[in-house]
Coordinates of all heavy atoms in Angstrom, one line a residue:
M30 N 11.9 26.9 22.1 CA 10.8 27.8 22.3 C 9.5 27.2 21.7 O 9.6 26.5 20.6 CB 11.2 29.1 21.5 CG 10.2 30.3 21.8 SD 10.3 31.5 20.5 CE 12.1 31.9 20.6
A31 N 8.4 27.5 22.3 CA 7.1 27.0 21.8 C 6.8 27.6 20.4 O 7.0 28.8 20.2 CB 6.0 27.3 22.7
P32 N 6.4 26.7 19.4 CA 6.1 27.2 18.1 C 4.8 28.1 18.1 O 3.9 27.8 18.8 CB 6.0 26.0 17.2 CG 5.6 24.9 18.2 CD 6.2 25.3 19.5
M33 N 4.8 29.0 17.2 CA 3.6 29.9 17.1 C 2.4 29.1 16.5 O 2.6 28.2 15.6 CB 3.9 31.1 16.2 CG 3.5 32.4 16.8 SD 4.1 33.7 15.7 CE 2.7 34.0 14.7
L34 N 1.2 29.3 17.1 CA 0.0 28.6 16.5 C -0.3 29.3 15.2 O -0.3 30.5 15.0 CB -1.1 28.8 17.5 CG -1.0 28.2 18.9 CD1 -2.3 28.4 19.7 CD2 -0.7 26.7 18.8
T35 N -0.8 28.4 14.3 CA -1.4 29.0 13.0 C -2.7 29.6 13.4 O -3.3 29.2 14.5 CB -1.6 27.9 12.0 OG1 -2.5 26.9 12.5 CG2 -0.3 27.1 11.7
I36 N -3.3 30.4 12.5 CA -4.6 31.0 12.8 C -5.6 29.9 12.9 O -6.5 30.0 13.8 CB -4.9 32.0 11.7 CG1 -6.1 32.9 12.1 CG2 -5.2 31.4 10.3 CD1 -5.6 34.1 13.0
E37 N -5.5 28.8 12.2 CA -6.4 27.7 12.3 C -6.3 27.0 13.6 O -7.4 26.7 14.3 CB -6.1 26.6 11.2 CG -5.9 27.1 9.8 CD -7.0 27.9 9.3 OE1 -8.2 27.6 9.7 OE2 -6.8 28.8 8.5
D38 N -5.1 26.8 14.1 CA -4.9 26.2 15.4 C -5.5 27.1 16.5 O -6.1 26.6 17.5 CB -3.4 26.1 15.7 CG -2.7 25.0 14.9 OD1 -3.4 24.1 14.4 OD2 -1.5 25.0 14.8
A39 N -5.3 28.4 16.4 CA -5.8 29.4 17.3 C -7.3 29.3 17.4 O -7.9 29.3 18.5 CB -5.3 30.8 17.0
R40 N -7.9 29.3 16.2 CA -9.4 29.3 16.2 C -9.9 28.0 16.8 O -10.9 28.0 17.5 CB -9.9 29.4 14.7 CG -9.6 30.7 14.1 CD -10.8 31.3 13.3 NE -10.5 32.6 12.9 CZ -9.8 32.9 11.7 NH1 -9.5 32.0 10.9 NH2 -9.6 34.2 11.4
Q41 N -9.3 26.9 16.5 CA -9.7 25.6 17.1 C -9.6 25.6 18.6 O -10.5 25.2 19.3 CB -8.8 24.5 16.5 CG -9.4 23.2 16.4 CD -8.7 22.3 15.4 OE1 -7.6 22.6 14.9 NE2 -9.3 21.1 15.1
A42 N -8.5 26.1 19.1 CA -8.3 26.2 20.6 C -9.3 27.1 21.2 O -9.8 26.8 22.3 CB -6.9 26.7 20.9
L43 N -9.7 28.2 20.5 CA -10.6 29.1 21.1 C -12.0 28.6 21.1 O -12.9 29.1 21.9 CB -10.6 30.5 20.3 CG -9.5 31.4 20.6 CD1 -9.9 32.9 20.4 CD2 -9.0 31.3 22.1
A44 N -12.3 27.6 20.2 CA -13.6 27.0 20.2 C -13.9 26.4 21.6 O -15.1 26.3 22.0 CB -13.7 25.9 19.2
E45 N -12.9 26.0 22.3 CA -13.0 25.4 23.7 C -12.8 26.5 24.8 O -12.8 26.1 26.0 CB -12.1 24.2 23.9 CG -12.7 23.0 23.2 CD -11.6 22.0 22.7 OE1 -10.7 21.8 23.5 OE2 -11.7 21.6 21.5
L46 N -12.6 27.7 24.4 CA -12.4 28.8 25.3 C -13.4 30.0 25.0 O -12.9 31.0 24.5 CB -10.9 29.3 25.3 CG -9.9 28.3 25.7 CD1 -8.5 28.8 25.3 CD2 -9.9 28.1 27.2
P47 N -14.7 29.7 25.2 CA -15.7 30.7 24.7 C -15.6 32.1 25.3 O -16.1 33.0 24.8 CB -17.0 30.0 25.1 CG -16.7 29.0 26.2 CD -15.3 28.6 25.9
H48 N -14.9 32.2 26.5 CA -14.8 33.6 27.1 C -13.7 34.4 26.4 O -13.6 35.6 26.7 CB -14.5 33.4 28.6 CG -15.5 32.8 29.4 ND1 -16.8 33.3 29.6 CD2 -15.5 31.6 30.0 CE1 -17.5 32.5 30.3 NE2 -16.8 31.4 30.6
W49 N -12.9 33.8 25.6 CA -11.7 34.5 25.0 C -12.0 34.9 23.6 O -12.6 34.2 22.8 CB -10.5 33.6 25.1 CG -10.1 33.3 26.5 CD1 -10.7 32.3 27.4 CD2 -9.1 33.9 27.3 NE1 -10.1 32.4 28.6 CE2 -9.1 33.4 28.6 CE3 -8.2 35.0 27.1 CZ2 -8.3 33.8 29.6 CZ3 -7.4 35.4 28.1 CH2 -7.4 34.8 29.3
T50 N -11.4 36.0 23.2 CA -11.5 36.5 21.8 C -10.1 36.7 21.2 O -9.1 37.1 21.9 CB -12.2 37.8 21.7 OG1 -11.6 38.8 22.6 CG2 -13.7 37.7 22.1
L51 N -10.0 36.3 20.0 CA -8.8 36.5 19.3 C -8.7 37.9 18.8 O -9.7 38.4 18.2 CB -8.8 35.5 18.1 CG -7.5 35.3 17.3 CD1 -6.4 34.7 18.1 CD2 -7.8 34.3 16.1
D52 N -7.6 38.6 18.9 CA -7.5 40.0 18.5 C -7.3 40.0 16.9 O -7.1 38.9 16.3 CB -6.3 40.8 19.2 CG -5.0 40.5 18.6 OD1 -4.8 39.7 17.6 OD2 -4.0 41.2 19.1
A53 N -7.5 41.1 16.3 CA -7.5 41.2 14.9 C -6.3 40.7 14.2 O -6.3 40.1 13.1 CB -7.8 42.7 14.5
S54 N -5.1 40.9 14.9 CA -3.8 40.4 14.3 C -3.6 38.9 14.4 O -2.7 38.4 13.8 CB -2.7 41.2 15.0 OG -2.6 40.7 16.3
G55 N -4.5 38.3 15.3 CA -4.3 36.9 15.6 C -3.1 36.6 16.5 O -2.8 35.4 16.7
K56 N -2.5 37.6 17.1 CA -1.3 37.4 17.9 C -1.6 37.4 19.4 O -0.6 37.2 20.2 CB -0.3 38.5 17.6 CG 0.3 38.4 16.2 CD 1.3 39.5 15.9 CE 1.8 39.4 14.5 NZ 2.6 38.3 14.2
S57 N -2.8 37.6 19.8 CA -3.1 37.6 21.2 C -4.6 37.2 21.4 O -5.4 37.4 20.5 CB -2.8 38.9 21.9 OG -3.6 39.9 21.5
I58 N -4.9 36.7 22.6 CA -6.3 36.5 23.0 C -6.5 37.3 24.3 O -5.6 37.6 25.1 CB -6.5 35.0 23.3 CG1 -5.6 34.4 24.3 CG2 -6.5 34.2 22.0 CD1 -5.9 32.9 24.7
A59 N -7.8 37.6 24.5 CA -8.2 38.5 25.6 C -9.5 38.0 26.3 O -10.3 37.5 25.6 CB -8.3 39.9 25.2
R60 N -9.6 38.3 27.5 CA -10.8 38.1 28.3 C -11.0 39.2 29.3 O -10.0 39.5 30.0 CB -10.8 36.7 29.0 CG -12.0 36.5 29.8 CD -12.1 35.1 30.5 NE -13.4 35.1 31.3 CZ -13.8 34.1 32.1 NH1 -13.0 33.0 32.2 NH2 -14.9 34.2 32.8
D61 N -12.2 39.7 29.4 CA -12.5 40.6 30.5 C -13.4 39.9 31.6 O -14.3 39.2 31.2 CB -13.4 41.8 30.0 CG -12.6 42.7 29.0 OD1 -11.3 42.8 29.2 OD2 -13.1 43.2 28.1
L62 N -13.0 40.1 32.8 CA -13.7 39.5 33.9 C -14.3 40.5 34.9 O -13.7 41.6 35.0 CB -12.8 38.5 34.7 CG -12.2 37.4 33.9 CD1 -10.7 37.8 33.5 CD2 -12.2 36.1 34.6
R63 N -15.4 40.2 35.5 CA -16.0 41.1 36.5 C -16.2 40.3 37.8 O -16.7 39.2 37.7 CB -17.3 41.7 36.0 CG -17.9 42.8 36.8 CD -19.2 43.3 36.1 NE -18.9 44.1 34.9 CZ -18.7 45.4 34.9 NH1 -18.9 46.1 36.0 NH2 -18.5 46.0 33.8
F64 N -15.9 40.9 38.9 CA -16.0 40.2 40.2 C -17.0 41.0 41.1 O -17.4 42.1 40.8 CB -14.7 40.0 40.9 CG -13.8 39.2 40.0 CD1 -13.0 39.7 39.0 CD2 -13.7 37.8 40.2 CE1 -12.1 38.9 38.2 CE2 -12.9 37.0 39.4 CZ -12.1 37.5 38.5
A65 N -17.3 40.4 42.3 CA -18.2 41.1 43.2 C -17.6 42.4 43.7 O -18.3 43.4 43.9 CB -18.4 40.2 44.4
D66 N -16.3 42.5 43.9 CA -15.7 43.7 44.5 C -14.2 43.6 44.2 O -13.7 42.7 43.6 CB -16.0 43.8 46.0 CG -15.6 42.6 46.8 OD1 -14.8 41.8 46.3 OD2 -16.2 42.4 47.8
F67 N -13.4 44.6 44.7 CA -12.0 44.7 44.5 C -11.3 43.5 45.1 O -10.4 42.9 44.6 CB -11.4 46.0 45.1 CG -9.9 46.1 45.0 CD1 -9.3 46.3 43.8 CD2 -9.1 45.9 46.1 CE1 -7.9 46.4 43.7 CE2 -7.8 45.9 46.0 CZ -7.2 46.2 44.8
N68 N -11.7 43.1 46.3 CA -11.1 41.9 47.0 C -11.2 40.7 46.2 O -10.2 39.9 46.1 CB -11.8 41.7 48.4 CG -11.0 42.2 49.5 OD1 -10.0 42.8 49.3 ND2 -11.4 41.8 50.7
A69 N -12.3 40.4 45.6 CA -12.5 39.2 44.8 C -11.6 39.3 43.5 O -11.0 38.4 43.1 CB -13.9 39.1 44.4
A70 N -11.6 40.5 42.9 CA -10.8 40.7 41.7 C -9.3 40.5 42.0 O -8.6 39.8 41.3 CB -11.0 42.1 41.1
F71 N -8.8 41.1 43.1 CA -7.4 41.0 43.4 C -7.0 39.6 43.9 O -5.9 39.2 43.6 CB -7.0 42.1 44.4 CG -5.6 42.4 44.4 CD1 -5.1 43.3 43.4 CD2 -4.6 41.8 45.2 CE1 -3.7 43.6 43.3 CE2 -3.3 42.1 45.1 CZ -2.8 43.0 44.1
G72 N -8.0 39.0 44.6 CA -7.7 37.6 45.0 C -7.5 36.7 43.7 O -6.6 35.9 43.7
F73 N -8.4 36.9 42.7 CA -8.2 36.2 41.5 C -6.9 36.5 40.9 O -6.2 35.5 40.4 CB -9.4 36.7 40.5 CG -9.1 36.4 39.0 CD1 -9.3 35.1 38.5 CD2 -8.6 37.4 38.2 CE1 -9.0 34.9 37.2 CE2 -8.3 37.2 36.9 CZ -8.5 35.9 36.4
M74 N -6.5 37.7 40.8 CA -5.2 38.1 40.2 C -4.0 37.4 41.0 O -3.0 37.0 40.4 CB -5.0 39.6 40.2 CG -6.0 40.3 39.2 SD -5.8 42.1 39.2 CE -4.5 42.3 38.0
T75 N -4.1 37.4 42.3 CA -3.1 36.8 43.1 C -2.9 35.3 42.8 O -1.8 34.8 42.6 CB -3.4 37.0 44.6 OG1 -3.5 38.4 44.8 CG2 -2.3 36.4 45.5
R76 N -4.1 34.6 42.7 CA -4.0 33.2 42.4 C -3.5 32.9 41.0 O -2.7 32.0 40.8 CB -5.4 32.6 42.6 CG -5.8 32.5 44.1 CD -7.3 32.5 44.3 NE -8.0 31.3 43.9 CZ -9.3 31.2 43.7 NH1 -10.0 32.3 43.7 NH2 -9.8 30.1 43.3
V77 N -3.9 33.7 40.0 CA -3.4 33.6 38.7 C -1.9 33.9 38.7 O -1.1 33.2 38.0 CB -4.1 34.4 37.7 CG1 -3.5 34.4 36.3 CG2 -5.6 33.9 37.5
A78 N -1.5 34.9 39.4 CA -0.1 35.3 39.4 C 0.8 34.1 39.9 O 1.9 33.9 39.3 CB 0.1 36.5 40.3
L79 N 0.4 33.4 40.9 CA 1.2 32.3 41.4 C 1.3 31.2 40.4 O 2.4 30.6 40.2 CB 0.6 31.8 42.7 CG 0.6 32.7 43.9 CD1 -0.2 32.2 45.1 CD2 2.0 33.1 44.3
I80 N 0.2 30.9 39.6 CA 0.2 29.9 38.6 C 1.1 30.4 37.4 O 1.9 29.6 36.9 CB -1.2 29.6 38.1 CG1 -2.0 29.0 39.2 CG2 -1.2 28.7 36.8 CD1 -3.5 29.0 38.9
A81 N 1.0 31.7 37.0 CA 1.7 32.2 35.9 C 3.2 32.1 36.2 O 4.0 31.8 35.3 CB 1.3 33.7 35.7
E82 N 3.6 32.4 37.4 CA 5.0 32.4 37.7 C 5.6 31.0 37.6 O 6.6 30.8 37.1 CB 5.2 33.0 39.2 CG 6.6 33.1 39.6 CD 7.5 34.0 38.8 OE1 6.9 34.8 37.9 OE2 8.7 33.9 38.9
K83 N 4.8 30.0 38.1 CA 5.2 28.6 38.0 C 5.3 28.2 36.5 O 6.2 27.4 36.1 CB 4.1 27.7 38.7 CG 4.4 27.5 40.1 CD 3.6 26.3 40.7 CE 3.7 26.3 42.2 NZ 2.4 25.9 42.8
M84 N 4.4 28.7 35.7 CA 4.4 28.4 34.2 C 5.5 29.2 33.5 O 5.7 28.9 32.3 CB 3.0 28.7 33.6 CG 1.9 27.8 34.1 SD 0.3 28.4 33.6 CE 0.2 27.7 31.9
D85 N 6.1 30.1 34.1 CA 7.0 31.1 33.5 C 6.3 31.7 32.3 O 6.9 31.9 31.2 CB 8.3 30.4 33.1 CG 9.4 31.4 32.7 OD1 9.3 32.6 33.2 OD2 10.2 31.1 31.9
H86 N 5.0 32.0 32.5 CA 4.3 32.7 31.4 C 3.4 33.7 32.0 O 2.5 33.3 32.9 CB 3.5 31.6 30.6 CG 3.1 32.1 29.2 ND1 4.0 32.5 28.3 CD2 1.9 32.3 28.7 CE1 3.4 32.9 27.2 NE2 2.1 32.8 27.4
H87 N 3.5 34.9 31.6 CA 2.9 36.0 32.4 C 1.9 36.8 31.6 O 2.1 37.1 30.4 CB 4.0 36.9 32.9 CG 5.0 36.2 33.7 ND1 6.1 35.6 33.1 CD2 5.1 35.9 35.0 CE1 6.8 35.0 34.1 NE2 6.2 35.2 35.2
P88 N 0.7 37.1 32.2 CA -0.3 37.9 31.5 C 0.0 39.4 31.4 O 0.7 39.9 32.2 CB -1.5 37.7 32.3 CG -1.0 37.5 33.7 CD 0.3 36.8 33.6
E89 N -0.5 40.0 30.3 CA -0.6 41.5 30.2 C -2.0 41.7 30.8 O -3.0 41.3 30.2 CB -0.5 42.0 28.8 CG 0.8 41.6 28.1 CD 0.8 42.0 26.7 OE1 -0.1 42.8 26.2 OE2 1.7 41.6 26.0
W90 N -2.1 42.5 31.9 CA -3.5 42.7 32.5 C -3.6 44.0 33.2 O -2.6 44.6 33.5 CB -3.8 41.5 33.3 CG -2.9 41.1 34.5 CD1 -1.8 41.8 34.8 CD2 -3.0 40.0 35.4 NE1 -1.2 41.1 35.9 CE2 -1.9 40.0 36.2 CE3 -4.0 39.0 35.5 CZ2 -1.8 39.1 37.3 CZ3 -3.8 38.0 36.5 CH2 -2.7 38.1 37.4
S91 N -4.8 44.3 33.4 CA -5.1 45.5 34.2 C -6.3 45.3 35.1 O -7.2 44.5 34.8 CB -5.3 46.8 33.3 OG -6.4 46.6 32.5
N92 N -6.4 46.1 36.1 CA -7.5 46.0 37.1 C -8.1 47.4 37.4 O -7.3 48.3 37.6 CB -7.0 45.3 38.3 CG -7.8 45.6 39.6 OD1 -7.3 46.2 40.5 ND2 -9.0 45.1 39.6
V93 N -9.4 47.5 37.3 CA -10.1 48.7 37.9 C -11.2 48.2 38.8 O -12.1 47.5 38.3 CB -10.7 49.6 36.7 CG1 -11.4 50.8 37.4 CG2 -9.6 50.0 35.8
Y94 N -11.0 48.4 40.1 CA -12.0 48.0 41.1 C -12.3 46.5 41.0 O -11.5 45.6 41.3 CB -13.2 48.9 41.1 CG -14.2 48.5 42.2 CD1 -13.8 48.3 43.5 CD2 -15.5 48.2 41.9 CE1 -14.7 47.9 44.5 CE2 -16.4 47.8 42.9 CZ -16.0 47.7 44.2 OH -16.9 47.2 45.1
N95 N -13.5 46.2 40.4 CA -13.9 44.8 40.3 C -13.7 44.2 39.0 O -14.2 43.1 38.7 CB -15.4 44.6 40.8 CG -16.4 45.3 39.8 OD1 -16.0 46.2 39.1 ND2 -17.6 44.9 39.8
R96 N -13.0 44.9 38.1 CA -12.9 44.4 36.7 C -11.4 44.1 36.4 O -10.5 44.8 36.9 CB -13.3 45.5 35.7 CG -14.8 45.6 35.7 CD -15.3 46.6 34.6 NE -15.1 48.0 35.1 CZ -14.3 48.9 34.4 NH1 -13.7 48.5 33.3 NH2 -14.2 50.1 34.9
V97 N -11.2 43.0 35.7 CA -9.8 42.6 35.3 C -9.8 42.3 33.8 O -10.7 41.6 33.3 CB -9.3 41.4 36.1 CG1 -7.9 41.0 35.6 CG2 -9.4 41.6 37.6
S98 N -8.9 42.9 33.1 CA -8.7 42.6 31.6 C -7.4 41.9 31.5 O -6.4 42.3 32.0 CB -8.7 43.9 30.8 OG -9.9 44.6 31.0
V99 N -7.5 40.7 30.8 CA -6.4 39.9 30.6 C -6.1 39.7 29.1 O -7.0 39.5 28.3 CB -6.6 38.5 31.2 CG1 -5.3 37.6 31.1 CG2 -7.1 38.6 32.6
R100 N -4.8 39.9 28.7 CA -4.4 39.6 27.3 C -3.2 38.7 27.4 O -2.3 38.9 28.2 CB -4.0 40.9 26.6 CG -3.6 40.8 25.2 CD -3.5 42.1 24.4 NE -4.8 42.8 24.4 CZ -5.8 42.5 23.5 NH1 -5.6 41.6 22.6 NH2 -6.9 43.2 23.6
L101 N -3.2 37.7 26.5 CA -2.2 36.7 26.5 C -1.5 36.6 25.2 O -2.2 36.5 24.1 CB -2.8 35.3 26.9 CG -3.5 35.2 28.2 CD1 -4.1 33.8 28.4 CD2 -2.6 35.6 29.4
T102 N -0.2 36.6 25.2 CA 0.6 36.4 23.9 C 1.9 35.9 24.4 O 2.3 36.1 25.6 CB 0.7 37.7 23.1 OG1 1.4 37.5 21.9 CG2 1.5 38.8 23.9
T103 N 2.7 35.3 23.5 CA 4.0 34.8 23.8 C 5.0 35.8 23.1 O 5.2 35.7 21.9 CB 4.2 33.4 23.4 OG1 3.2 32.6 23.9 CG2 5.6 32.8 23.8
H104 N 5.6 36.6 23.9 CA 6.5 37.7 23.4 C 7.7 37.0 22.7 O 8.1 37.5 21.6 CB 7.0 38.6 24.5 CG 5.9 39.1 25.4 ND1 5.6 38.7 26.6 CD2 4.9 40.0 25.0 CE1 4.5 39.4 27.1 NE2 4.1 40.2 26.1
D105 N 8.2 36.0 23.3 CA 9.4 35.3 22.7 C 9.1 34.8 21.3 O 10.0 34.7 20.5 CB 9.8 34.1 23.6 CG 10.3 34.5 25.0 OD1 10.4 35.7 25.2 OD2 10.5 33.6 25.8
A106 N 7.9 34.4 21.1 CA 7.5 33.8 19.8 C 6.9 34.8 18.8 O 6.7 34.5 17.6 CB 6.5 32.6 20.0
G107 N 6.5 36.0 19.4 CA 5.9 37.0 18.5 C 4.5 36.7 18.2 O 4.0 37.1 17.2
G108 N 3.8 35.9 19.0 CA 2.4 35.6 18.7 C 1.9 34.6 19.7 O 2.4 34.4 20.8
L109 N 0.8 33.9 19.3 CA 0.2 32.9 20.2 C 0.9 31.5 20.2 O 1.3 31.1 19.1 CB -1.3 32.7 19.8 CG -2.3 33.7 20.2 CD1 -3.6 33.4 19.5 CD2 -2.5 33.7 21.7
T110 N 1.0 30.9 21.3 CA 1.5 29.5 21.4 C 0.6 28.7 22.3 O -0.3 29.3 23.0 CB 3.0 29.5 21.9 OG1 3.0 29.9 23.3 CG2 3.9 30.4 21.1
Q111 N 0.9 27.5 22.5 CA 0.2 26.6 23.4 C 0.3 27.1 24.9 O -0.6 26.9 25.7 CB 0.7 25.2 23.4 CG 0.1 24.4 22.2 CD -1.4 24.3 22.2 OE1 -2.1 24.4 23.3 NE2 -2.0 24.0 21.1
K112 N 1.4 27.9 25.2 CA 1.5 28.4 26.5 C 0.4 29.4 26.8 O -0.1 29.5 28.0 CB 2.8 29.2 26.6 CG 4.1 28.3 26.6 CD 5.3 29.1 26.8 CE 6.3 28.5 27.8 NZ 7.3 29.4 28.2
D113 N -0.1 30.1 25.8 CA -1.2 31.1 26.0 C -2.5 30.3 26.3 O -3.3 30.7 27.1 CB -1.3 32.0 24.8 CG 0.0 32.8 24.6 OD1 0.3 33.5 25.6 OD2 0.6 32.7 23.6
I114 N -2.7 29.2 25.5 CA -3.9 28.4 25.7 C -3.9 27.8 27.0 O -4.9 27.8 27.7 CB -3.9 27.3 24.6 CG1 -3.8 28.0 23.2 CG2 -5.1 26.4 24.7 CD1 -4.9 29.0 22.9
A115 N -2.7 27.3 27.5 CA -2.6 26.7 28.8 C -2.9 27.7 29.9 O -3.7 27.4 30.9 CB -1.2 26.1 29.0
L116 N -2.4 28.9 29.7 CA -2.7 30.0 30.8 C -4.1 30.4 30.7 O -4.7 30.7 31.8 CB -1.7 31.1 30.6 CG -1.7 32.2 31.7 CD1 -1.6 31.7 33.1 CD2 -0.6 33.3 31.4
A117 N -4.7 30.5 29.5 CA -6.1 30.8 29.4 C -7.0 29.8 30.2 O -7.9 30.2 30.9 CB -6.5 30.9 28.0
R118 N -6.7 28.5 30.0 CA -7.4 27.5 30.8 C -7.2 27.7 32.3 O -8.2 27.5 33.0 CB -6.9 26.1 30.4 CG -7.2 25.7 28.9 CD -7.3 24.2 28.8 NE -7.5 23.9 27.3 CZ -6.5 23.5 26.5 NH1 -5.3 23.4 26.9 NH2 -6.8 23.3 25.2
A119 N -6.0 28.0 32.7 CA -5.8 28.2 34.1 C -6.6 29.4 34.6 O -7.2 29.4 35.7 CB -4.3 28.4 34.4
V120 N -6.6 30.5 33.8 CA -7.4 31.7 34.2 C -8.9 31.3 34.4 O -9.6 31.6 35.4 CB -7.3 32.8 33.1 CG1 -8.4 33.9 33.3 CG2 -5.9 33.4 33.2
D121 N -9.4 30.5 33.4 CA -10.8 30.1 33.5 C -11.1 29.2 34.7 O -12.1 29.4 35.4 CB -11.2 29.3 32.2 CG -11.4 30.2 31.0 OD1 -11.2 31.4 31.1 OD2 -11.6 29.7 29.9
A122 N -10.1 28.4 35.0 CA -10.3 27.5 36.2 C -10.3 28.3 37.5 O -11.1 28.0 38.4 CB -9.2 26.4 36.2
V123 N -9.5 29.3 37.6 CA -9.5 30.1 38.8 C -10.7 31.0 38.9 O -11.3 31.2 40.0 CB -8.2 31.0 38.8 CG1 -8.3 32.1 40.0 CG2 -7.0 30.2 39.0
A124 N -11.2 31.4 37.7 CA -12.4 32.4 37.7 C -13.7 31.7 38.1 O -14.7 32.3 38.4 CB -12.5 33.0 36.3
T125 N -13.8 30.4 37.9 CA -15.0 29.7 38.2 C -15.1 29.1 39.6 O -14.1 28.8 40.2 CB -15.3 28.5 37.2 OG1 -14.2 27.7 37.2 CG2 -15.5 29.1 35.8
Ligands
LIG15 N1 5.4 35.6 29.4 C1 4.8 35.8 28.2 N2 3.5 36.1 28.2 N3 5.4 35.7 27.1 C2 6.7 35.4 27.0 O1 7.3 35.3 26.0 C3 7.4 35.2 28.3 C4 6.7 35.3 29.5 N4 8.7 34.9 28.3 N5 7.3 35.2 30.7 C5 9.4 34.5 29.5 C6 8.7 35.0 30.8 C7 10.8 34.9 29.3 O2 10.9 36.3 29.2 C8 11.7 34.5 30.4 C9 13.1 34.9 30.2 O3 11.6 33.1 30.6

């Protein structure tokens, strides 16, 4: 199992992920995204879903029309791991 990131590691990783915020507990990171319309938002989710399934790492997320909220944590580890950082990078790559 991937080891949990220390709070220092998490902060360092987030320095390169400016769209993401660390939650107060330090156990998850989150990003809110806004798209042109529902089609664009759901297209984004579909593309991320295919990547997430390949990574065997899945987001906690919700969608309202053109908005998508994404939260990443590693349930198995009880906090943040490199898997969350990798998925955050993938989310950013799909979003741009
Ligand atoms: N996704 C996330 N975000 N955290 C996990 O701990 C996790 C996962 N574990 N996807 C995986 C699947 C695990 O439940 C399966 C059995 O591999």
Side-chain angles (χ1 to χ4, degrees):
M30 192 201 301
M33 231 172 91
L34 297 181
T35 65
I36 196 84
E37 313 303 329
D38 290 340
R40 292 224 174 88
Q41 210 160 6
L43 281 208
E45 279 149 49
L46 294 167
H48 297 295
W49 295 82
T50 55
L51 190 62
D52 83 358
S54 70
K56 289 180 187 292
S57 65
I58 55 174
R60 177 177 178 184
D61 293 326
L62 302 101
R63 189 178 288 266
F64 297 89
D66 53 22
F67 177 74
N68 255 9
F71 205 82
F73 160 81
M74 293 179 85
T75 302
R76 287 153 73 202
V77 171
L79 295 175
I80 295 167
E82 184 61 13
K83 273 197 190 137
M84 294 172 82
D85 192 30
H86 200 62
H87 303 90
E89 298 175 15
W90 56 4
S91 64
N92 158 244
V93 179
Y94 181 52
N95 66 337
R96 289 181 285 122
V97 179
S98 297
V99 185
R100 183 169 297 279
L101 304 177
T102 185
T103 305
H104 307 108
D105 296 351
L109 281 173
T110 67
Q111 279 300 338
K112 289 182 140 195
D113 300 302
I114 304 306
L116 186 51
R118 289 204 186 100
V120 166
D121 285 359
V123 171
T125 52

